[in-house]
């Protein structure tokens, strides 16, 4: 029953996080992949403003279908793997939280990679147009089908290696940071500031995770956007890193970081609060344990915010 509740809470919390954070993600992707020779945007705010002015508010939500579709599968993998890993490790320690989170992050990359590929392609479709005159993709599913027909299985898994490199330590750092913060802040059911503490811990954990893996995300976005317009610039990860460094310097690895961090806190905080409130309500209805009481291996709070990192992260 605990697994079912955690799964349902994760789906609801993850959906809330996607709705809050997707506009920031669209801005991040646009900034990451724009050409240094002919940049369309001067910065985060200008990018946000330009999208709204040229494409309306709906432009900020391009590609949202892909993360929404992948949400159930990602949550199932993350919750199942992390819970089983913690039970096998046997002790609720910061190191075990890192290891369990890393294993969950690695396995959920199988779904995350094609999901983010579709999201990226949809976000770049009709760039700067209020109404796209010719839409290559009808929706996220159509996008993946077309990529598969043209490039095969390898095509829909473009960026898989960089996704694994990002997600494995990213989820580990998320769980480690969350565990350390919640232990330090304390969590009591009758604490009037409990929800604020959970919001803070979840939000800061997301920020820590993104900062630690962001350079890899820049390369992943560029590889997944490569080929849009029928022209491929990169021959692989090393070539992408080399060309990006040569043309734009080390700052290329921070391109879009501001919008990402602006997104990270509210997304993780929203997801965390939604998951926690849902679990508290359901367990109170059942007359079971409260949200802050420890489970045999790991606390329910520790188990609940796994999907707060998007994908992710």
């Amino acid at each position: 029953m605990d697994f079912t509740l955690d799964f349902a809470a994760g789906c609801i919390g993850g959906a809330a996080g996607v709705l809050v954070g997707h506009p920031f993600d669209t801005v991040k992707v646009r900034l990451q992949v724009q050409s240094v020779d002919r940049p369309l945007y001067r910065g985060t705010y200008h990018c946000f403003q330009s999208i709204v002015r040229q494409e309306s508010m709906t432009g900020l939500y391009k590609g949202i279908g892909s993360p929404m579709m992948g949400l159930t599968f990602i949550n199932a993998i993350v919750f199942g793997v992390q819970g089983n890993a913690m039970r096998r490790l046997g002790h609720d320690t910061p190191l075990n939280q890192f290891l369990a989170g890393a294993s969950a992050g690695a396995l959920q990359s199988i779904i995350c990679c094609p999901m983010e590929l579709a999201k990226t392609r949809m976000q770049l479709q009709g760039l700067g147009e209020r109404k796209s005159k010719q839409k290559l993709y009808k929706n996220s599913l159509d996008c993946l089908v077309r990529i598969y027909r043209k490039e095969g299985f390898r095509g829909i898994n473009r960026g898989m290696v960089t996704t694994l490199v990002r997600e494995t330590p990213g989820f580990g750092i998320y769980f480690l940071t969350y565990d350390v913060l919640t232990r330090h802040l304390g969590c009591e059911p009758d604490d009037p500031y409990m929800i604020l503490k959970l919001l803070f811990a979840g939000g800061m954990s997301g920020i820590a995770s993104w900062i630690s893996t962001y350079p890899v995300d820049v390369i992943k976005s560029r590889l997944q956007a490569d080929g849009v317009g029928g022209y491929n610039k990169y021959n692989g990860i090393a070539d992408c890193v080399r060309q990006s460094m040569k043309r734009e310097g080390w700052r290329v690895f921070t391109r879009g970081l501001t919008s990402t961090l602006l997104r990270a806190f509210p997304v993780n905080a929203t997801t965390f609060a939604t998951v926690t409130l849902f679990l508290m309500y359901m367990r109170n209805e059942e007359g079971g344990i409260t949200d802050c009481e420890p489970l045999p291996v790991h606390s329910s709070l520790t188990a609940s915010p796994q999907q707060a990192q998007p994908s992710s992260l």
Side-chain angles (χ1 to χ4, degrees), residues 200-242:
F200 178 77
M204 292 305 297
S205 298
I207 287 177
S209 179
W210 268 112
I211 289 176
S212 64
T213 60
Y214 193 76
V216 181
D217 184 68
V218 173
I219 299 303
K220 180 199 72 69
S221 292
R222 293 196 165 202
L223 288 173
Q224 291 186 328
D226 195 32
V228 173
Y231 173 68
N232 289 287
K233 295 193 297 183
Y234 310 118
N235 293 322
I237 297 173
D239 184 53
C240 181
V241 173
R242 183 168 54 251

Side-chain angles (χ1 to χ4, degrees), residues 26-80:
T26 299
V27 172
K28 181 206 73 170
V29 170
R30 294 283 182 94
L31 290 171
Q32 283 180 337
V33 303
Q34 71 174 342
S35 171
V36 66
D37 297 326
R38 299 173 60 187
L40 293 174
Y41 313 113
R42 294 191 297 271
T44 300
Y45 179 73
H46 181 248
C47 180
F48 183 90
Q49 188 181 49
S50 298
I51 293 172
V52 173
R53 185 176 64 250
Q54 297 171 1
E55 305 170 44
S56 78
M57 285 296 294
T58 59
L60 295 171
Y61 285 93
K62 284 183 176 179
I64 195 172
S66 181
M68 282 294 186
M69 283 194 306
L71 191 62
T72 301
F73 299 103
I74 287 177
N75 285 348
I77 293 172
V78 171
F79 274 83

Side-chain angles (χ1 to χ4, degrees), residues 56-284:
S56 78
M57 285 296 294
T58 59
L60 295 171
Y61 285 93
K62 284 183 176 179
I64 195 172
S66 181
M68 282 294 186
M69 283 194 306
L71 191 62
T72 301
F73 299 103
I74 287 177
N75 285 348
I77 293 172
V78 171
F79 274 83
V81 172
Q82 198 272 346
N84 287 326
M86 285 301 299
R87 282 188 287 273
R88 287 183 177 276
L89 291 169
H91 299 285
D92 182 11
T93 64
L95 176 60
N96 286 348
Q97 289 290 344
F98 177 87
L99 294 175
S103 62
L107 287 181
Q108 66 93 40
S109 297
I110 298 170
I111 303 297
C112 180
C113 179
M115 180 194 79
E116 292 200 348
L117 173 65
K119 174 182 66 68
T120 299
R121 294 293 178 90
M122 291 293 294
Q123 286 172 328
L124 296 176
Q125 183 170 245
L127 192 67
E129 299 177 2
R130 181 171 289 271
K131 286 188 177 181
S132 301
K133 297 177 181 178
Q134 287 186 333
K135 286 188 176 181
L136 181 60
Y137 311 118
K138 297 177 182 178
N139 49 52
S140 298
L141 182 59
D142 180 59
C143 177
L144 288 176
V145 170
R146 287 176 176 269
I147 293 173
Y148 177 77
R149 287 175 178 173
K150 184 178 180 180
E151 305 176 44
F153 182 76
R154 186 174 182 178
I156 62 173
N157 285 285
R158 181 189 293 266
M160 178 63 76
V161 174
T162 48
T163 301
L164 280 167
V165 173
R166 184 194 68 180
E167 297 291 84
T168 302
F171 269 88
I173 291 169
Y174 175 83
F175 281 109
L176 174 63
T177 305
Y178 172 72
D179 185 69
V180 170
L181 286 175
T182 50
R183 288 173 189 268
H184 177 73
L185 293 173
C187 175
E188 299 295 335
D190 58 349
D191 186 349
Y193 300 107
M194 184 188 70
I195 299 300
L196 291 178
K197 290 178 180 180
L198 299 179
L199 287 168
F200 178 77
M204 292 305 297
S205 298
I207 287 177
S209 179
W210 268 112
I211 289 176
S212 64
T213 60
Y214 193 76
V216 181
D217 184 68
V218 173
I219 299 303
K220 180 199 72 69
S221 292
R222 293 196 165 202
L223 288 173
Q224 291 186 328
D226 195 32
V228 173
Y231 173 68
N232 289 287
K233 295 193 297 183
Y234 310 118
N235 293 322
I237 297 173
D239 184 53
C240 181
V241 173
R242 183 168 54 251
Q243 286 195 44
S244 298
M245 280 286 292
K246 183 178 180 180
R247 294 170 63 86
E248 303 171 56
W250 65 269
R251 290 183 182 274
V252 66
F253 298 115
T254 63
R255 188 184 290 273
L257 180 60
T258 301
S259 61
T260 299
L261 297 183
L262 287 173
R263 167 185 177 268
F265 193 95
V267 166
N268 287 283
T270 301
T271 305
F272 201 175
T274 304
V275 168
T276 303
L277 292 173
F278 178 83
L279 289 175
M280 288 178 65
Y281 175 79
M282 294 301 295
R283 284 168 177 161
N284 283 337

